[in-house]
Amino acid sequence: MPRFAANLTMMFTEVPFLDRFAAAAEAGFTAVEYLFPYDFAPEEIAERLRAHGLRQALFNLPPGQWDAGDRGLAALPDRAEEFRASIATALDYAKATGVGRIHMMSGLARREDAAALRSYRDALARLCDAAGEAGLEVVIEPINSRDMPGYFLNDFDFAADLIAGLDLANLKLQFDIYHRQIIHGDVLTGLRETMPIIGHVQIASVPERHEPGTGELDDLRVLRELDALGYEGFVGCEYRPAGETVAGLGWMRAFD
């Protein structure tokens, strides 16, 4: 049975962020993820996790100035110093929350740009080294160009080749079913081929990014395939509820 993690950036938005931990626990979740925790002190986040018996599944490194359009720093050579500082910040939150993996966003850059590719590879090596010392995995996630135009890492095959080429023991693939379907399709084959390098999975329906089972894919079949493949990690529910969050959780009853 999949271990679901509520994505608190997208779910339970009926209440303020810090109150979403309680809401997720009351709805039956035992783990949470979100994009960024950095508007709150590490101790505040850790206390919410402890108070509600939740595990932290994942969060992202600081992305730069999100509201100004930044979507990560790793592939931006002129932001290397800022990226290095972001590692220390993320590791502080990782230590406080007990998370086992962190996601590194690439940023907006052309993959054909040699300087961007070199910056991205160097950033991964630097982060994996620091995260490895802290006992953490690093995951990278291809994101589709429809939702995030210009994103550097927008291809699953490229990501898999990069992971193989860098050969870093704690570098894994974040397999987002929503992004995979939009970029390549062929979701089940993709899962089967990349399962050995997958560190985290996320799900949302395609194309509206609502609850699983409401779009063009048979999401429940995909989730059952994860079980069949022996996946034991978390499945992040990174979707935007079509209505009130709790009212839309009926799709999970298939796994009761």
Side-chain angles (χ1 to χ4, degrees):
M1 174 178 174
R3 296 190 297 160
F4 295 113
N7 187 294
L8 300 187
T9 301
M10 294 189 175
M11 301 174 70
F12 302 102
T13 57
E14 298 88 355
V15 298
F17 180 77
L18 289 178
D19 294 335
R20 295 174 197 173
F21 293 83
E26 289 170 7
F29 286 96
T30 59
V32 296
E33 62 175 35
Y34 36 74
L35 295 185
F36 313 111
Y38 308 110
D39 287 340
F40 305 93
E43 297 78 15
E44 286 185 283
I45 302 292
E47 175 53 32
R48 300 292 170 137
L49 293 167
R50 283 193 296 269
H52 302 292
L54 294 166
R55 292 188 62 183
Q56 182 70 55
L58 179 81
F59 59 78
N60 299 342
L61 267 70
Q65 301 301 314
W66 185 267
D67 291 341
D70 285 341
R71 294 297 182 264
L73 303 169
L76 310 181
D78 59 339
R79 308 283 290 277
E81 184 174 346
E82 189 177 349
F83 175 77
R84 287 193 290 270
S86 79
I87 294 176
T89 299
L91 292 182
D92 284 343
Y93 280 81
K95 182 177 181 180
T97 61
V99 72
R101 64 199 49 79
I102 51 179
H103 170 224
M104 187 189 85
M105 297 189 74
S106 67
L108 307 180
R110 293 176 58 252
R111 209 166 63 242
E112 298 79 12
D113 182 338
L117 178 57
R118 185 165 53 251
S119 176
Y120 186 69
R121 291 171 62 94
D122 290 348
L124 271 178
R126 182 182 293 272
L127 175 59
C128 284
D129 183 59
E133 291 183 3
L136 300 175
E137 282 186 354
V138 173
V139 290
I140 56 173
E141 175 192 27
I143 296 177
N144 80 80
S145 297
R146 187 169 73 201
D147 283 14
M148 199 171 286
Y151 193 69
F152 177 85
L153 187 62
N154 60 4
D155 184 278
F156 278 73
D157 295 332
F158 174 81
D161 289 345
L162 185 71
I163 290 169
L166 288 173
D167 194 27
L168 298 166
N170 61 331
L171 177 59
K172 301 291 184 179
L173 177 67
Q174 183 167 312
F175 195 109
D176 187 302
I177 293 161
Y178 169 82
H179 291 303
R180 170 73 193 202
Q181 173 67 2
I182 294 172
I183 296 170
H184 301 293
D186 212 12
V187 171
L188 294 180
T189 296
L191 284 171
R192 291 163 186 160
E193 290 179 346
T194 60
M195 185 54 61
I197 61 169
I198 291 176
H200 189 63
V201 173
Q202 291 175 322
I203 193 165
S205 69
V206 181
E208 300 298 332
R209 207 168 189 173
H210 292 325
E211 287 84 351
T214 62
E216 67 192 34
L217 278 180
D218 185 344
D219 292 308
L220 296 183
R221 180 182 176 190
V222 173
L223 291 169
R224 291 189 178 101
E225 181 69 14
L226 282 176
D227 274 352
L229 291 170
Y231 177 70
E232 297 180 347
F234 292 105
V235 175
C237 301
E238 195 184 43
Y239 66 82
R240 301 184 186 94
E244 195 270 337
T245 301
V246 173
L249 292 176
W251 64 273
M252 294 178 64
R253 295 195 190 104
F255 297 96
D256 288 345

PDB file of all heavy atoms in Angstrom, residues 71-72 103-111 120 141-145 148-154:
ATOM      1  N   ARG A  71      13.094  29.917 -10.130  1.00  0.00           N
ATOM      2  CA  ARG A  71      12.612  28.551  -9.943  1.00  0.00           C
ATOM      3  C   ARG A  71      13.786  27.616  -9.653  1.00  0.00           C
ATOM      4  O   ARG A  71      13.885  26.519 -10.158  1.00  0.00           O
ATOM      5  CB  ARG A  71      11.852  28.082 -11.200  1.00  0.00           C
ATOM      6  CG  ARG A  71      10.544  28.848 -11.452  1.00  0.00           C
ATOM      7  CD  ARG A  71       9.564  28.638 -10.316  1.00  0.00           C
ATOM      8  NE  ARG A  71       8.286  29.298 -10.509  1.00  0.00           N
ATOM      9  CZ  ARG A  71       7.963  30.493 -10.007  1.00  0.00           C
ATOM     10  NH1 ARG A  71       8.860  31.175  -9.295  1.00  0.00           N
ATOM     11  NH2 ARG A  71       6.768  31.010 -10.210  1.00  0.00           N
ATOM     12  N   GLY A  72      14.654  28.079  -8.772  1.00  0.00           N
ATOM     13  CA  GLY A  72      15.855  27.341  -8.433  1.00  0.00           C
ATOM     14  C   GLY A  72      17.082  28.089  -8.911  1.00  0.00           C
ATOM     15  O   GLY A  72      16.997  29.023  -9.724  1.00  0.00           O
ATOM     16  N   HIS A 103      14.877  18.125  -2.310  1.00  0.00           N
ATOM     17  CA  HIS A 103      14.788  18.289  -3.759  1.00  0.00           C
ATOM     18  C   HIS A 103      15.510  19.563  -4.181  1.00  0.00           C
ATOM     19  O   HIS A 103      15.287  20.632  -3.619  1.00  0.00           O
ATOM     20  CB  HIS A 103      13.316  18.357  -4.177  1.00  0.00           C
ATOM     21  CG  HIS A 103      13.108  18.755  -5.606  1.00  0.00           C
ATOM     22  ND1 HIS A 103      12.162  19.660  -5.981  1.00  0.00           N
ATOM     23  CD2 HIS A 103      13.744  18.375  -6.739  1.00  0.00           C
ATOM     24  CE1 HIS A 103      12.199  19.829  -7.298  1.00  0.00           C
ATOM     25  NE2 HIS A 103      13.159  19.059  -7.777  1.00  0.00           N
ATOM     26  N   MET A 104      16.354  19.440  -5.197  1.00  0.00           N
ATOM     27  CA  MET A 104      17.084  20.572  -5.743  1.00  0.00           C
ATOM     28  C   MET A 104      16.444  21.006  -7.051  1.00  0.00           C
ATOM     29  O   MET A 104      16.473  20.277  -8.037  1.00  0.00           O
ATOM     30  CB  MET A 104      18.556  20.209  -5.988  1.00  0.00           C
ATOM     31  CG  MET A 104      19.400  21.401  -6.399  1.00  0.00           C
ATOM     32  SD  MET A 104      21.065  20.933  -6.939  1.00  0.00           S
ATOM     33  CE  MET A 104      20.752  20.538  -8.675  1.00  0.00           C
ATOM     34  N   MET A 105      15.859  22.195  -7.079  1.00  0.00           N
ATOM     35  CA  MET A 105      15.310  22.751  -8.312  1.00  0.00           C
ATOM     36  C   MET A 105      16.444  23.298  -9.173  1.00  0.00           C
ATOM     37  O   MET A 105      17.416  23.855  -8.667  1.00  0.00           O
ATOM     38  CB  MET A 105      14.296  23.842  -8.004  1.00  0.00           C
ATOM     39  CG  MET A 105      13.081  23.361  -7.232  1.00  0.00           C
ATOM     40  SD  MET A 105      11.771  24.606  -7.107  1.00  0.00           S
ATOM     41  CE  MET A 105      11.120  24.552  -8.792  1.00  0.00           C
ATOM     42  N   SER A 106      16.295  23.163 -10.479  1.00  0.00           N
ATOM     43  CA  SER A 106      17.383  23.539 -11.380  1.00  0.00           C
ATOM     44  C   SER A 106      17.431  25.015 -11.682  1.00  0.00           C
ATOM     45  O   SER A 106      18.504  25.608 -11.834  1.00  0.00           O
ATOM     46  CB  SER A 106      17.253  22.769 -12.694  1.00  0.00           C
ATOM     47  OG  SER A 106      16.096  23.169 -13.417  1.00  0.00           O
ATOM     48  N   GLY A 107      16.259  25.645 -11.822  1.00  0.00           N
ATOM     49  CA  GLY A 107      16.200  27.021 -12.279  1.00  0.00           C
ATOM     50  C   GLY A 107      15.840  27.102 -13.745  1.00  0.00           C
ATOM     51  O   GLY A 107      15.716  26.085 -14.450  1.00  0.00           O
ATOM     52  N   LEU A 108      15.652  28.307 -14.228  1.00  0.00           N
ATOM     53  CA  LEU A 108      15.288  28.572 -15.617  1.00  0.00           C
ATOM     54  C   LEU A 108      16.549  28.833 -16.419  1.00  0.00           C
ATOM     55  O   LEU A 108      17.250  29.822 -16.199  1.00  0.00           O
ATOM     56  CB  LEU A 108      14.345  29.776 -15.696  1.00  0.00           C
ATOM     57  CG  LEU A 108      13.090  29.709 -14.815  1.00  0.00           C
ATOM     58  CD1 LEU A 108      12.248  30.966 -15.009  1.00  0.00           C
ATOM     59  CD2 LEU A 108      12.271  28.462 -15.113  1.00  0.00           C
ATOM     60  N   ALA A 109      16.854  27.924 -17.331  1.00  0.00           N
ATOM     61  CA  ALA A 109      18.056  28.034 -18.166  1.00  0.00           C
ATOM     62  C   ALA A 109      17.911  27.079 -19.337  1.00  0.00           C
ATOM     63  O   ALA A 109      17.122  26.132 -19.294  1.00  0.00           O
ATOM     64  CB  ALA A 109      19.317  27.705 -17.365  1.00  0.00           C
ATOM     65  N   ARG A 110      18.698  27.317 -20.381  1.00  0.00           N
ATOM     66  CA  ARG A 110      18.690  26.435 -21.544  1.00  0.00           C
ATOM     67  C   ARG A 110      19.648  25.267 -21.305  1.00  0.00           C
ATOM     68  O   ARG A 110      20.798  25.471 -20.948  1.00  0.00           O
ATOM     69  CB  ARG A 110      19.106  27.205 -22.798  1.00  0.00           C
ATOM     70  CG  ARG A 110      18.126  28.263 -23.230  1.00  0.00           C
ATOM     71  CD  ARG A 110      18.638  29.060 -24.422  1.00  0.00           C
ATOM     72  NE  ARG A 110      18.918  28.195 -25.569  1.00  0.00           N
ATOM     73  CZ  ARG A 110      20.147  27.908 -25.997  1.00  0.00           C
ATOM     74  NH1 ARG A 110      21.220  28.391 -25.365  1.00  0.00           N
ATOM     75  NH2 ARG A 110      20.308  27.125 -27.048  1.00  0.00           N
ATOM     76  N   ARG A 111      19.158  24.056 -21.527  1.00  0.00           N
ATOM     77  CA  ARG A 111      20.004  22.894 -21.294  1.00  0.00           C
ATOM     78  C   ARG A 111      21.143  22.818 -22.305  1.00  0.00           C
ATOM     79  O   ARG A 111      22.155  22.167 -22.058  1.00  0.00           O
ATOM     80  CB  ARG A 111      19.167  21.614 -21.318  1.00  0.00           C
ATOM     81  CG  ARG A 111      19.746  20.528 -20.438  1.00  0.00           C
ATOM     82  CD  ARG A 111      18.814  19.384 -20.166  1.00  0.00           C
ATOM     83  NE  ARG A 111      18.443  18.670 -21.358  1.00  0.00           N
ATOM     84  CZ  ARG A 111      17.212  18.569 -21.826  1.00  0.00           C
ATOM     85  NH1 ARG A 111      16.227  19.181 -21.202  1.00  0.00           N
ATOM     86  NH2 ARG A 111      16.950  17.874 -22.921  1.00  0.00           N
ATOM     87  N   TYR A 120      24.964  23.266 -13.219  1.00  0.00           N
ATOM     88  CA  TYR A 120      24.016  22.313 -12.653  1.00  0.00           C
ATOM     89  C   TYR A 120      24.726  21.062 -12.140  1.00  0.00           C
ATOM     90  O   TYR A 120      24.459  20.599 -11.019  1.00  0.00           O
ATOM     91  CB  TYR A 120      22.988  21.942 -13.719  1.00  0.00           C
ATOM     92  CG  TYR A 120      21.871  21.058 -13.214  1.00  0.00           C
ATOM     93  CD1 TYR A 120      20.913  21.538 -12.333  1.00  0.00           C
ATOM     94  CD2 TYR A 120      21.770  19.735 -13.633  1.00  0.00           C
ATOM     95  CE1 TYR A 120      19.883  20.730 -11.881  1.00  0.00           C
ATOM     96  CE2 TYR A 120      20.745  18.917 -13.186  1.00  0.00           C
ATOM     97  CZ  TYR A 120      19.807  19.421 -12.308  1.00  0.00           C
ATOM     98  OH  TYR A 120      18.793  18.612 -11.849  1.00  0.00           O
ATOM     99  N   GLU A 141      13.905  16.504 -10.123  1.00  0.00           N
ATOM    100  CA  GLU A 141      12.590  16.250 -10.712  1.00  0.00           C
ATOM    101  C   GLU A 141      12.442  16.961 -12.049  1.00  0.00           C
ATOM    102  O   GLU A 141      12.464  18.199 -12.099  1.00  0.00           O
ATOM    103  CB  GLU A 141      11.498  16.750  -9.759  1.00  0.00           C
ATOM    104  CG  GLU A 141      10.090  16.647 -10.327  1.00  0.00           C
ATOM    105  CD  GLU A 141       9.071  17.410  -9.499  1.00  0.00           C
ATOM    106  OE1 GLU A 141       9.431  18.395  -8.829  1.00  0.00           O
ATOM    107  OE2 GLU A 141       7.887  17.020  -9.546  1.00  0.00           O
ATOM    108  N   PRO A 142      12.240  16.231 -13.128  1.00  0.00           N
ATOM    109  CA  PRO A 142      11.866  16.875 -14.391  1.00  0.00           C
ATOM    110  C   PRO A 142      10.477  17.504 -14.268  1.00  0.00           C
ATOM    111  O   PRO A 142       9.536  16.872 -13.783  1.00  0.00           O
ATOM    112  CB  PRO A 142      11.860  15.726 -15.398  1.00  0.00           C
ATOM    113  CG  PRO A 142      12.706  14.651 -14.759  1.00  0.00           C
ATOM    114  CD  PRO A 142      12.452  14.782 -13.298  1.00  0.00           C
ATOM    115  N   ILE A 143      10.361  18.754 -14.697  1.00  0.00           N
ATOM    116  CA  ILE A 143       9.107  19.505 -14.625  1.00  0.00           C
ATOM    117  C   ILE A 143       8.707  19.919 -16.037  1.00  0.00           C
ATOM    118  O   ILE A 143       9.544  20.391 -16.810  1.00  0.00           O
ATOM    119  CB  ILE A 143       9.254  20.730 -13.709  1.00  0.00           C
ATOM    120  CG1 ILE A 143       9.527  20.275 -12.271  1.00  0.00           C
ATOM    121  CG2 ILE A 143       8.011  21.613 -13.756  1.00  0.00           C
ATOM    122  CD1 ILE A 143       9.756  21.406 -11.292  1.00  0.00           C
ATOM    123  N   ASN A 144       7.446  19.754 -16.358  1.00  0.00           N
ATOM    124  CA  ASN A 144       7.012  20.004 -17.725  1.00  0.00           C
ATOM    125  C   ASN A 144       7.043  21.492 -18.073  1.00  0.00           C
ATOM    126  O   ASN A 144       6.846  22.365 -17.216  1.00  0.00           O
ATOM    127  CB  ASN A 144       5.620  19.402 -17.964  1.00  0.00           C
ATOM    128  CG  ASN A 144       4.504  20.274 -17.414  1.00  0.00           C
ATOM    129  OD1 ASN A 144       4.111  21.256 -18.029  1.00  0.00           O
ATOM    130  ND2 ASN A 144       3.988  19.911 -16.239  1.00  0.00           N
ATOM    131  N   SER A 145       7.278  21.752 -19.351  1.00  0.00           N
ATOM    132  CA  SER A 145       7.454  23.124 -19.823  1.00  0.00           C
ATOM    133  C   SER A 145       6.143  23.877 -19.986  1.00  0.00           C
ATOM    134  O   SER A 145       6.161  25.093 -20.203  1.00  0.00           O
ATOM    135  CB  SER A 145       8.202  23.114 -21.162  1.00  0.00           C
ATOM    136  OG  SER A 145       9.499  22.584 -20.998  1.00  0.00           O
ATOM    137  N   MET A 148       5.882  25.151 -16.275  1.00  0.00           N
ATOM    138  CA  MET A 148       7.045  25.942 -15.896  1.00  0.00           C
ATOM    139  C   MET A 148       7.930  26.169 -17.127  1.00  0.00           C
ATOM    140  O   MET A 148       8.953  25.508 -17.303  1.00  0.00           O
ATOM    141  CB  MET A 148       7.824  25.244 -14.775  1.00  0.00           C
ATOM    142  CG  MET A 148       8.750  26.154 -13.998  1.00  0.00           C
ATOM    143  SD  MET A 148       9.442  25.337 -12.520  1.00  0.00           S
ATOM    144  CE  MET A 148       7.999  25.330 -11.447  1.00  0.00           C
ATOM    145  N   PRO A 149       7.550  27.105 -17.991  1.00  0.00           N
ATOM    146  CA  PRO A 149       8.326  27.350 -19.219  1.00  0.00           C
ATOM    147  C   PRO A 149       9.773  27.731 -18.909  1.00  0.00           C
ATOM    148  O   PRO A 149      10.031  28.512 -17.993  1.00  0.00           O
ATOM    149  CB  PRO A 149       7.582  28.522 -19.874  1.00  0.00           C
ATOM    150  CG  PRO A 149       6.208  28.480 -19.294  1.00  0.00           C
ATOM    151  CD  PRO A 149       6.371  27.969 -17.898  1.00  0.00           C
ATOM    152  N   GLY A 150      10.687  27.139 -19.675  1.00  0.00           N
ATOM    153  CA  GLY A 150      12.091  27.487 -19.525  1.00  0.00           C
ATOM    154  C   GLY A 150      12.824  26.740 -18.431  1.00  0.00           C
ATOM    155  O   GLY A 150      14.018  26.994 -18.215  1.00  0.00           O
ATOM    156  N   TYR A 151      12.152  25.801 -17.766  1.00  0.00           N
ATOM    157  CA  TYR A 151      12.817  25.065 -16.685  1.00  0.00           C
ATOM    158  C   TYR A 151      13.915  24.181 -17.272  1.00  0.00           C
ATOM    159  O   TYR A 151      13.706  23.468 -18.253  1.00  0.00           O
ATOM    160  CB  TYR A 151      11.794  24.218 -15.925  1.00  0.00           C
ATOM    161  CG  TYR A 151      12.295  23.676 -14.613  1.00  0.00           C
ATOM    162  CD1 TYR A 151      12.544  24.526 -13.542  1.00  0.00           C
ATOM    163  CD2 TYR A 151      12.519  22.312 -14.435  1.00  0.00           C
ATOM    164  CE1 TYR A 151      12.997  24.032 -12.321  1.00  0.00           C
ATOM    165  CE2 TYR A 151      12.976  21.811 -13.227  1.00  0.00           C
ATOM    166  CZ  TYR A 151      13.215  22.679 -12.174  1.00  0.00           C
ATOM    167  OH  TYR A 151      13.675  22.187 -10.976  1.00  0.00           O
ATOM    168  N   PHE A 152      15.087  24.225 -16.666  1.00  0.00           N
ATOM    169  CA  PHE A 152      16.258  23.533 -17.193  1.00  0.00           C
ATOM    170  C   PHE A 152      16.048  22.021 -17.262  1.00  0.00           C
ATOM    171  O   PHE A 152      16.339  21.379 -18.279  1.00  0.00           O
ATOM    172  CB  PHE A 152      17.475  23.851 -16.314  1.00  0.00           C
ATOM    173  CG  PHE A 152      18.733  23.146 -16.704  1.00  0.00           C
ATOM    174  CD1 PHE A 152      19.565  23.657 -17.687  1.00  0.00           C
ATOM    175  CD2 PHE A 152      19.118  21.971 -16.068  1.00  0.00           C
ATOM    176  CE1 PHE A 152      20.735  23.009 -18.053  1.00  0.00           C
ATOM    177  CE2 PHE A 152      20.283  21.315 -16.413  1.00  0.00           C
ATOM    178  CZ  PHE A 152      21.091  21.840 -17.415  1.00  0.00           C
ATOM    179  N   LEU A 153      15.552  21.432 -16.186  1.00  0.00           N
ATOM    180  CA  LEU A 153      15.390  19.975 -16.128  1.00  0.00           C
ATOM    181  C   LEU A 153      13.968  19.624 -16.530  1.00  0.00           C
ATOM    182  O   LEU A 153      13.063  19.577 -15.690  1.00  0.00           O
ATOM    183  CB  LEU A 153      15.708  19.450 -14.729  1.00  0.00           C
ATOM    184  CG  LEU A 153      15.738  17.922 -14.604  1.00  0.00           C
ATOM    185  CD1 LEU A 153      16.817  17.306 -15.478  1.00  0.00           C
ATOM    186  CD2 LEU A 153      15.918  17.495 -13.156  1.00  0.00           C
ATOM    187  N   ASN A 154      13.764  19.363 -17.817  1.00  0.00           N
ATOM    188  CA  ASN A 154      12.415  19.116 -18.325  1.00  0.00           C
ATOM    189  C   ASN A 154      12.319  17.821 -19.120  1.00  0.00           C
ATOM    190  O   ASN A 154      11.444  17.659 -19.971  1.00  0.00           O
ATOM    191  CB  ASN A 154      11.949  20.286 -19.191  1.00  0.00           C
ATOM    192  CG  ASN A 154      12.855  20.522 -20.400  1.00  0.00           C
ATOM    193  OD1 ASN A 154      13.795  19.765 -20.642  1.00  0.00           O
ATOM    194  ND2 ASN A 154      12.579  21.582 -21.137  1.00  0.00           N
TER     195      ASN A 154
END
